[in-house]
Amino acid sequence: MLPRWTDPRRSLRARFALLLGGSGLALALVTAAVVGIVQRGQLVEQQGYSMRREALLLARVLDGALRQRLEQLQATADQPLLASGLFDPGDARLLLEGLRAQQPAFAWIAIVAPDGQVRVATNALLEGTDLQAEPWFAPAAHAPWIGSRRPAGALTASLGLVDGQPPQLIDMGLPMTDTAGRTTGVLVARLRWDWLRELHRSLKNDLNVDNGIESAVLDRDGRVLLGPPAWLDRPPAVPPDPEADPGLVTWPGEGEFLSDWERSPGGEGASGLVVLLRQPAALAFQPAIEMSRRLLLLGALGTAAFMLLSLWLAARVARPIGELSAAALRVVHDQPPQFAAIPPEREDEVAEVAHALRRLHDTLARRLAEQQLATARYETLFRDAPVAIYLAIEDHLLIANQACVRLFGAPGADALVGLDTAGLFHPDDAGLAELRLRQQAALEPGGAPTPTLEHRIRRLDGGIAEVESTAIGLALAEGRGVQVVLHDITEQRQAQAALRELNAQLEARVAARTAELQGANAELDAFAYAVSHDLRAPLRAMTGFSQALIEDHGAELPPPARGYLDQIVLAGQRMGDLVEGLLTLSRTLRGALSVAPVDLSALAEQTLADLRRAEPGREVAVEIEPGLVATGDRRMLAALVNNLVGNAWKYTAGCAGARIRVFSITDDGSRWICVEDNGAGFDMAHAGRLFKAFARLHRQDEFPGLGIGLATVQRIVNRHGGRIEAEGSPGRGARFRFTLPERPRAGVNEGATA
């Protein structure tokens, strides 16, 4: 038989203990279940938010690193040496080698022609090889492009093996254009994958590996670029969904993981990277599981305690207050609290205190954990950042990362602590130091950073470095502080100085060669004029004596001899015409340009009027666009129009429905003046001979002439700094078009090439 005080039927204390014990156990079970569900949801939200920030950080930094290399390629493509489109391969190779030396991450850099042929490459590798079939060629020819990871291929022999395998490289490239905006080729680079892997590894070191967080980076094709070795170069088991919120995902054969996908920023030259972070659900929800177990344990202990304590609870009303006090003291001494289970329906002062203490403890514990996590993450990023960073309070250096120690040539971070930040500037940049101090004094914590400032620093080992620096304000426990970020630009400035010197040398060489060419052309014109002038007298004598011999003794000569004399006369007249052509060609371009607006429409109408008066019986349909005005020398432009229109008139002879058009078109951003006819035309296979002096594409008996008209036209156009082009088809006519700059270069006779 049970003792009376333990029998619920006879003891109020036993019934009270049973009631409180059962209620406490039920409350513990319900609370454990509810708290587990709620905390599971909170953990998904909190861990997912933290995971999203980590993924975004990885995506932006990796994308930024790739974009930076692409921007370096763009800066190289914009160099005047390459942008001109006319460069010496040796000079271009020296420029590419300089870029590769500045950025060892580039394994190979090359300039590829539009047809896919490698024109210039570092170490002359693959020069002359056709790379049109490469996956980077087509997209990089239209816009900046970053490709996927793949073996080095033909570059393996020069790069060597990595762990017995060909090294892995990443393609990137961009189109090259000349000063007129025309595409001249592709500037391509093969980036070392190991460099990107090490950057990824250094960035993910701040993740808590004890939590089992894994990361992977996908390329634009959806294959794993960085991550576990077993995942590389294949799509992940779960398709990426960067638009979805972080959440639980079931991975085939592996179980549930808290997963998040984040895409790198878009825009021109974007890498298209997608970053995956995942954590096993068991590890992600371990705090919730532990809390549920703790609550169950506490509930069981509380139930037992209630059943025992309820025996004398009625006499000890103040007992709960003592329990709450003991729990509060455990919190003060950094021990886990043990709050008494309070029924939800209880609303007295004891319950209010218990709930307030529980909420206070939970809030403090959560905020402390968040602060510790944020502090650990910041310390890791600060310490391992690839750029130099230091924190200063009251203009005195407090802490510095390893990159900063290396930049200042210090033996350790302790050697920099306490230094006056203004004293870190070079003495000659004292004015910039004062400017930076004023900027830092105006900073607000969390506000916008100072503008970037270029200056020199004085290293502790006596050296000097050039840097770009910026500062942001911080609210620290010790007071108002600043965080200063420095980028070492010493090598960049040295490279720029070397490039300026190289450009100056190139300009001097071009000027010298231009002067030599001008002198040679002037001597050639003078020689042609002198030879032509000196030949006229002997030719006149030869022709005159031959005609006199025919007139005085022609009847006495036998027919063959008379025929020979006729041929001599004709040859002399022909040679005289050629000499006159040389003089005409020389006189056309002699003298300085007289630059003024010239009405080409009026010149064309005048030329056609003269031609109609010379051949009134011809029927030719003429169409001249009014208002065709060009800037240049009126005498030369008149000769240009006269030759082009005269040729159109001559080569439409005998053509039914002859037609001549003079009009303008706009092509490639330039205004072209066109002279078009439907006459004899020419074969484009012989177009290279059109503008050569005395070179003709038709027989003399078909269309008479000396062959100097188009040579004169080309020299006039070249003299004005313009361009001329021709196109035609036998029997279907021809079109000649030329474009002149708005302001031709006036000066002495520079000469021209046919």
Side-chain angles (χ1 to χ4, degrees):
M1 184 177 179
L2 293 175
R4 180 181 177 84
W5 62 273
T6 61
D7 187 358
R9 294 174 297 177
R10 295 182 294 170
S11 173
L12 182 60
R13 295 167 62 189
R15 290 199 299 270
F16 188 65
L18 183 61
L19 178 62
L20 290 181
S23 300
L25 182 59
L27 179 61
L29 293 174
V30 173
T31 302
V34 172
V35 169
I37 295 173
V38 172
Q39 193 171 26
R40 185 183 178 97
Q42 291 177 345
L43 284 174
V44 170
E45 180 179 356
Q46 294 171 2
Q47 291 288 86
Y49 177 74
S50 176
M51 194 173 289
R52 169 170 288 180
R53 289 189 299 176
E54 295 291 349
L56 284 174
L57 176 62
L58 283 175
R60 290 173 179 171
V61 173
L62 293 176
D63 181 76
L66 291 174
R67 283 177 184 250
Q68 185 179 16
R69 300 303 174 272
L70 198 61
E71 290 170 358
Q72 290 172 336
L73 288 180
Q74 185 65 64
T76 301
D78 293 339
Q79 293 291 336
L81 174 65
L82 302 183
S84 66
L86 303 172
F87 54 81
D88 180 75
D91 294 339
R93 188 180 299 108
L94 182 61
L95 181 61
L96 298 184
E97 293 290 358
L99 175 59
R100 191 181 67 155
Q102 181 183 359
Q103 289 296 337
F106 289 126
W108 179 73
I109 310 173
I111 299 174
V112 182
D115 62 354
Q117 297 290 325
V118 178
R119 298 178 60 187
V120 180
T122 53
N123 292 334
L125 295 175
L126 305 183
E127 287 187 355
T129 305
D130 186 358
L131 300 182
Q132 190 171 8
E134 289 292 314
W136 48 262
F137 182 81
H142 297 88
W145 187 84
I146 299 174
S148 304
R149 167 184 181 266
R150 62 191 184 92
L155 297 175
T156 302
S158 61
L159 299 180
L161 300 178
V162 177
D163 296 332
Q165 298 294 328
Q168 300 293 317
L169 304 178
I170 299 175
D171 301 326
M172 60 172 50
L174 49 84
M176 297 177 61
T177 56
D178 59 14
T179 54
R182 293 172 298 191
T183 301
T184 60
V186 177
L187 182 59
V188 62
R190 300 293 305 278
L191 193 67
R192 297 182 184 274
W193 174 75
D194 289 340
W195 165 80
L196 189 64
R197 180 183 62 182
E198 291 302 322
L199 177 60
H200 172 248
R201 184 176 299 166
S202 65
L203 290 173
K204 73 175 184 177
N205 281 341
D206 61 313
L207 294 176
N208 188 351
V209 296
D210 293 334
N211 288 338
I213 296 179
E214 298 177 326
S215 69
V217 181
L218 278 62
D219 58 22
R220 65 171 69 249
D221 297 326
R223 298 180 301 172
V224 176
L225 179 65
L226 300 167
W231 291 17
L232 293 177
D233 299 327
R234 64 181 61 182
V238 175
D241 187 7
E243 305 299 329
D245 292 330
L248 287 175
V249 177
T250 300
W251 290 74
E254 297 183 83
E256 282 192 329
F257 286 77
L258 181 59
S259 308
D260 182 47
W261 307 86
E262 296 298 333
R263 190 184 302 279
S264 61
E268 184 175 358
S271 61
L273 298 181
V274 175
V275 173
L276 160 67
L277 289 183
R278 72 172 196 171
Q279 182 184 27
L283 294 177
F285 301 134
Q286 187 174 3
I289 297 173
E290 300 244 352
M291 179 62 75
S292 298
R293 293 175 179 173
R294 190 179 298 114
L295 287 174
L296 289 175
L297 178 59
L298 291 176
L301 294 176
T303 299
F306 277 157
M307 294 179 68
L308 294 175
L309 294 177
S310 62
L311 300 175
W312 46 273
L313 185 60
R316 303 290 299 273
V317 178
R319 184 73 176 180
I321 298 177
E323 293 292 332
L324 294 177
S325 299
L329 289 175
R330 292 177 65 85
V331 174
V332 172
H333 292 91
D334 294 330
Q335 298 177 356
Q338 295 179 351
F339 297 109
I342 304 298
E345 64 274 5
R346 185 168 179 177
E347 298 179 356
D348 58 11
E349 292 79 357
V350 176
E352 291 178 359
V353 172
H355 293 316
L357 287 177
R358 183 182 291 112
R359 288 195 298 270
L360 176 61
H361 172 266
D362 293 343
T363 302
L364 291 176
R366 184 176 63 255
R367 292 183 178 177
L368 179 60
E370 292 176 354
Q371 183 177 3
Q372 290 174 345
L373 180 60
T375 301
R377 183 180 299 113
Y378 176 77
E379 290 178 351
T380 301
L381 290 175
F382 177 82
R383 181 182 65 252
D384 299 332
V387 296
I389 306 174
Y390 69 79
L391 300 182
I393 294 180
E394 302 300 333
D395 300 326
H396 286 80
L397 195 145
L398 180 63
I399 56 174
N401 68 351
Q402 291 301 313
C404 187
V405 172
R406 293 192 296 269
L407 177 62
F408 282 95
D414 295 339
L416 297 174
V417 175
L419 293 181
D420 182 5
T421 56
L424 300 176
F425 283 66
H426 190 273
D428 294 342
D429 291 345
L432 297 177
E434 294 179 1
L435 173 62
R436 173 47 53 85
L437 291 178
R438 290 196 300 270
Q439 291 175 342
Q440 292 178 177
L443 288 174
E444 293 293 335
T450 63
T452 300
L453 184 67
E454 294 187 10
H455 60 88
R456 292 170 293 175
I457 61 171
R458 183 172 53 187
R459 294 166 52 92
L460 299 189
D461 57 8
I464 299 174
E466 296 190 33
V467 299
E468 290 180 345
S469 66
T470 185
I472 60 174
L474 299 175
L476 303 177
E478 296 86 347
R480 288 171 55 87
V482 293
Q483 174 180 286
V484 180
V485 180
L486 303 101
H487 295 268
D488 189 354
I489 60 173
T490 303
E491 294 183 358
Q492 178 182 346
R493 291 293 178 264
Q494 293 174 350
Q496 290 176 350
L499 183 59
R500 286 194 296 269
E501 181 179 356
L502 178 61
N503 287 338
Q505 294 175 358
L506 290 176
E507 291 176 359
R509 290 166 59 187
V510 170
R513 292 182 180 178
T514 301
E516 293 175 1
L517 181 61
Q518 291 175 351
N521 286 335
E523 293 178 2
L524 182 62
D525 283 345
F527 174 76
Y529 181 81
V531 169
S532 302
H533 187 271
D534 293 343
L535 285 176
R536 299 176 76 181
L539 284 174
R540 283 196 300 269
M542 181 180 70
T543 304
F545 282 118
S546 297
Q547 290 177 341
L549 182 61
I550 293 173
E551 293 174 357
D552 296 342
H553 304 285
E556 302 173 5
L557 295 174
R562 175 65 182 269
Y564 296 154
L565 281 177
D566 291 338
Q567 292 299 320
I568 291 173
V569 171
L570 291 176
Q573 292 174 348
R574 175 65 178 171
M575 191 169 185
D577 292 339
L578 292 176
V579 170
E580 188 64 29
L582 282 175
L583 289 175
T584 301
L585 186 62
S586 177
R587 285 195 300 266
T588 301
L589 299 177
R590 298 179 65 85
L593 289 176
S594 176
V595 179
V598 178
D599 189 343
L600 302 183
S601 299
L603 292 178
E605 291 175 353
Q606 180 179 350
T607 299
L608 285 168
D610 294 341
L611 292 171
R612 283 194 174 99
R613 283 194 295 270
E615 297 184 68
R618 285 194 58 184
E619 293 292 335
V620 179
V622 176
E623 180 183 340
I624 300 177
E625 180 181 329
L628 298 178
V629 177
T631 302
D633 186 282
R634 180 178 180 81
R635 174 179 60 86
M636 294 186 184
L637 294 184
L640 181 151
V641 173
N642 184 65
N643 275 289
L644 291 180
V645 175
N647 276 354
W649 180 274
K650 177 170 64 175
Y651 288 105
T652 54
C655 175
R659 183 178 70 256
I660 298 175
R661 292 180 62 211
V662 181
F663 59 97
S664 66
I665 62 173
T666 299
D667 185 17
D668 197 18
S670 301
R671 185 169 181 252
W672 296 77
I673 307 299
C674 304
V675 178
E676 183 181 82
D677 65 75
N678 62 342
F682 61 90
D683 189 346
M684 288 296 292
H686 306 297
R689 300 177 53 203
L690 282 174
F691 299 103
K692 292 183 179 180
F694 305 110
R696 309 188 70 248
L697 302 184
H698 298 85
R699 298 194 312 273
Q700 185 72 16
D701 57 350
E702 289 181 327
F703 299 99
L706 297 177
I708 64 170
L710 291 180
T712 302
V713 166
Q714 187 192 49
R715 293 191 177 192
I716 292 173
V717 172
N718 290 344
R719 180 74 187 280
H720 284 73
R723 290 182 291 160
I724 184 167
E725 298 176 355
E727 58 183 70
S729 178
R732 302 181 64 180
R735 173 193 287 185
F736 291 84
R737 68 174 191 170
F738 63 90
T739 179
L740 303 177
E742 294 184 1
R743 295 182 179 273
R745 178 168 56 89
V748 299
N749 184 18
E750 298 90 344
T753 58

